[in-house]
Amino acid sequence: MKRIDGHKKRIVLFGYGKYGRMLYRILREAGYDITVAIWKEENFARAEADGVKDMRAFSPRSNESIRGLRIDPANTLLYCVMERTANNLFLVLSLRELYHDTPIIAISNTEENSRKLRYAGADTIIDIYEAASRYIVTDITRPAVSEAINEIVFRNNDLKIAEIELEEGTFLEGAMTGSIDFGRRGIVLLAIIDKELGDKLIFATKGLDHKLDAGDTIILAGKERDIEAFRAELVASNKTIPQGVHDES
Amino acid sequence: MHRLLSRMIVSFAYMIEGSTRYRKIKNFFFNLLENDDYPYKKYFDIFMIVIILSSVFILVIEVREAVPKWLDDFDLYFVTAVFITEYLLRMWVFSDLHTIILNAEEESRYLGRELRLGPLFWQIVKDKWRYVTSPAAIIDLIAILPSYREIRVLRILVLFRAFKMLRYAKSLGSFIFILKNKKFELLTLMLLTLFFVFIAGIMLYVFEGAGHNDKVHNLFDAFYWALVTISTVGYGDITPVTAEGRFMSMLIIVTGLGLISFATSVIVSSFSERLMELRDERVVQEVQKKKNITVVCGYGIMGQKVAEGLRQAEKELIVIDEDEEKAQLAHKSGFRTICADAARSVIFERIGLEKISHVLCLTADDEQNAFIAVNVKSLDQSVHVTARCSDREIAEKLTYAKIDKVVVPEEITAMMGSVYAGEPVAFEAVQSILAQEHDSRIDEVEIEPSSFFEGKTIEDLQMDEMRLVLLGVVRRVPGGGRRFIFRPDDTFVLMAGDHIVFMGRDAAIAHFKKRLLR
């Protein structure tokens, strides 16, 4: 999986069943600090065997036990990956009650459950079967596309997808998307989120030039070093904050 | 003399045994007449149905009108010739005479005695007699008889030609096949009906045959009345007039209702029992002429989603699930479905491995998926097999067994989760591109050999004009692998077999593909 360096949020992983275990391994490889919150007794031994350093007990029904995890709401991502959707749902309700603005990611196994989890307060839902079936269908119907997505998104190499939120004073402020030569920089502009138009994704294939403003987010694909060079270029051009843009990834 | 004759017969049998041409011809006729999976059998069946219908049509015309001579000749010579030829061909392909001869010869050699022609002859006759006495062959033979014009009454036997149609029309045959399975129940029902008709008929005759009822002249009339009444048809041409007779009527009407319900339930239950089997058969026949079929094994949540995705991409697919309920669900969703155990070879052989391009093993059970995947690979290595499993360790085992793709859904979920941790907005973008939620999507196009763009550069593709975003090129590398080249620059030279991966809007993609394939 992609290795992410620099500042990153802490992750609290609720549940250490088969999904939790797999997610722990991948996030660990990517260099995240992870706290594993375990409910079922038997999963402690499993986590210990896998070398999990930071594991704590909790119960999805007890707010007290969740508070005991000492989550820093401003700098944490909460992953609800318990085996049973009913447990996940309860957990999402408890977490949302305790932490209003912390991102909650939950796994689901059907569209119906996704809807319930979203209603309960989860920000992002990953439908296990949806993701895997999409992967299989793409692999059969468009094998080259599947190869490209694997390389850019999933495989551990120097390619990555990155998002950059534009700060005030960079050379992109006020520029039209069409006028910036991303190709020369070795990167591809996939989409932008124009703050003025809400938080909907606008793909670069739309055919219209967009004027970029501070607060907009651009989504890029490219080699890590090219993306970093582009970030550096943005920082260098920033007239208002000479110490550089805030870099999250 | 006897020895010379037997030697001649044996050497003739050896000659036939060794002739590939003979075998080919016999095989062709066997397929044409008997093999439902043979693609050309359909045309032969249609031809025979047309011939039969024309013959029955001529019979009907003849009742009131004079039939033109050419039509009569057609019926007399052509139809009869076709039927006789077919009868003889069927008798020929029914069994191999030369095998019987060679077996007998081998046996006599083993026992150290001479080949005896008498018993051999009887064995051959007995063998072919088995064909002649089979119900279908009897119908075939009777259907030939109406051609003998000297006996007028034989004309009615033309209707046997209609029975012959059972041979050619699969659905009619299936109906008989279904009823055959309920032979015992139907026979019991028939005997019961006969018993009641017998009793009721005799009683009516006893009560009203002595002159009380002017419609009942003999026992036949009474039986006729009993059958018409018990079947609830009730023409009303014969009605009982005495109180005893009417009481009798009431009794057999009630009995008749019971018998009819019983008959209906027997037939309906027989149909529902065999329906799945018949449908499987139909599916196998339907895909006979298709190519590049994807077989989805397992119709659980994942199987359902994959099948739906493949249908949207207009892929030919068959769903296999051994669970009857799931197979039923797949069928209801409009997929070609077979209810069978995909871990057994027979189902893939029936579909025809050469027609299958991909097999997806998507049941919820790792072992079952491994079993199916290995089964298919052991049958045909060229079929691309994707197996689902829940563990990396098992995935590695399967990869070692040369299964082309192993998918661990938990791992994909975890990878998606990890992408989110780093770049939440990018994650949304990837999700949205993969789900094709917007009118922008990722697609690919191949540079075909001898295409106009072979040897041209990326710049020549003029992708910017159509607002297409080039993501990269997937190129085959020597040794069979593939390599993804991320956004090659404008001077990159394209080769045949390269796949260009790009993002764009539907209309632009269609236009671009058209230009490249031109």
Side-chain angles (χ1 to χ4, degrees), chain A residues 126-136, chain B residues 409 412-413 416 431:
Chain A
I126 302 171
D127 185 329
I128 315 156
Y129 297 115
E130 189 72 44
S133 14
R134 222 179 264 151
Y135 180 87
I136 292 171
Chain B
I412 293 174
T413 309
M416 297 290 273
Q431 283 262 65

Side-chain angles (χ1 to χ4, degrees), chain B residues 19-60:
Chain B
S19 162
T20 45
R21 195 183 163 81
Y22 172 83
R23 217 175 310 139
K24 253 189 204 164
I25 295 172
K26 191 162 185 174
N27 233 358
F28 167 75
F29 281 112
F30 176 80
N31 284 333
L32 195 67
L33 296 166
E34 306 285 356
N35 183 2
D36 286 332
D37 294 337
Y38 187 61
Y40 298 108
K41 182 177 185 288
K42 193 172 75 189
Y43 302 111
F44 174 74
D45 292 351
I46 293 171
F47 168 72
M48 289 306 287
I49 290 174
V50 170
I51 293 263
I52 291 165
L53 286 178
S54 66
S55 171
V56 174
F57 177 70
I58 293 167
L59 172 82
V60 173

Side-chain angles (χ1 to χ4, degrees), chain A residues 1 4 11 18-19 22-23 25-27 30 32 77 79 103 105 107 109-111 123-137 139-154 159-163 183 186-190 193 200-201 203-209 217 219 221-223 231 249, chain B residues 294 301-302 305-310 313 315 358 360 362 384 386 388 390-392 405-444 466-471 474 482-484 486-487 499-505:
Chain A
M1 199 51 232
I4 292 156
I11 285 172
K18 51 183 178 179
Y19 299 104
M22 200 78 85
L23 191 58
R25 183 171 63 75
I26 289 172
L27 289 169
Y32 284 96
L77 294 174
Y79 279 78
I105 302 101
I107 57 162
N109 49 10
T110 60
E111 267 170 52
D123 297 284
T124 299
I125 316 286
I126 302 171
D127 185 329
I128 315 156
Y129 297 115
E130 189 72 44
S133 14
R134 222 179 264 151
Y135 180 87
I136 292 171
V137 171
D139 191 53
I140 290 174
T141 54
R142 293 169 296 157
V145 169
S146 172
E147 183 71 26
I149 290 170
N150 279 341
E151 287 291 331
I152 301 173
V153 184
F154 296 131
L159 283 175
K160 66 181 275 189
I161 287 195
E163 59 193 64
I187 48 183
V188 172
L189 174 72
L190 296 178
I193 292 178
K200 261 177 71 181
L201 280 166
F203 285 94
T205 50
K206 193 88 180 164
L208 286 169
D209 262 357
T217 302
I219 294 142
K223 292 205 169 109
R231 274 189 211 273
S249 52
Chain B
T294 302
I301 302 178
M302 190 121 150
K305 286 183 187 282
V306 170
E308 194 48 57
L310 291 172
K315 281 261 165 197
H358 291 83
L360 310 176
L362 303 179
H384 188 283
T386 303
R388 162 195 174 183
S390 61
D391 199 291
R392 217 359 64 206
K405 195 115 205 170
V406 183
V407 176
V408 185
E410 291 82 0
E411 197 172 58
I412 293 174
T413 309
M415 287 196 289
M416 297 290 273
S418 173
V419 174
Y420 181 86
E423 316 279 340
V425 182
F427 169 85
E428 295 293 341
V430 171
Q431 283 262 65
S432 159
I433 292 169
L434 290 179
Q436 305 195 13
E437 277 165 359
H438 291 256
D439 52 1
S440 287
R441 59 188 170 94
I442 299 191
D443 211 333
E444 63 183 63
M466 283 171 268
R467 302 289 298 196
L468 294 172
V469 176
L470 173 70
L471 290 177
V474 175
R482 302 199 310 172
R483 189 163 66 96
F484 175 67
F486 178 73
R487 216 212 159 276
H499 281 78
I500 301 167
V501 182
F502 58 95
M503 210 171 86
R505 285 163 73 86

Side-chain angles (χ1 to χ4, degrees), chain A residues 13-23 37-40 42-43 46 58 60 79-91 106-110 113 117 126 128-129, chain B residues 301 390 409-411 413:
Chain A
L13 201 62
F14 291 91
Y16 201 72
K18 51 183 178 179
Y19 299 104
R21 209 172 170 192
M22 200 78 85
L23 191 58
I38 297 174
W39 182 36
K40 283 187 180 163
E42 67 264 27
N43 286 341
R46 218 193 219 187
F58 88 104
Y79 279 78
C80 306
V81 289
M82 299 179 75
E83 296 289 284
R84 290 186 57 222
T85 310
N87 293 337
N88 267 338
L89 189 84
F90 218 88
L91 177 63
I107 57 162
S108 149
N109 49 10
T110 60
N113 286 337
L117 287 163
I126 302 171
I128 315 156
Y129 297 115
Chain B
I301 302 178
S390 61
E410 291 82 0
E411 197 172 58
T413 309

Side-chain angles (χ1 to χ4, degrees), chain A residues 187-227:
Chain A
I187 48 183
V188 172
L189 174 72
L190 296 178
I192 61 167
I193 292 178
D194 195 328
K195 213 171 111 191
E196 284 169 21
L197 301 174
D199 52 6
K200 261 177 71 181
L201 280 166
I202 301 161
F203 285 94
T205 50
K206 193 88 180 164
L208 286 169
D209 262 357
H210 276 273
K211 188 165 155 266
L212 294 169
D213 301 304
D216 291 353
T217 302
I218 54 175
I219 294 142
L220 307 164
K223 292 205 169 109
E224 211 159 343
R225 61 159 198 275
D226 294 329
I227 291 178

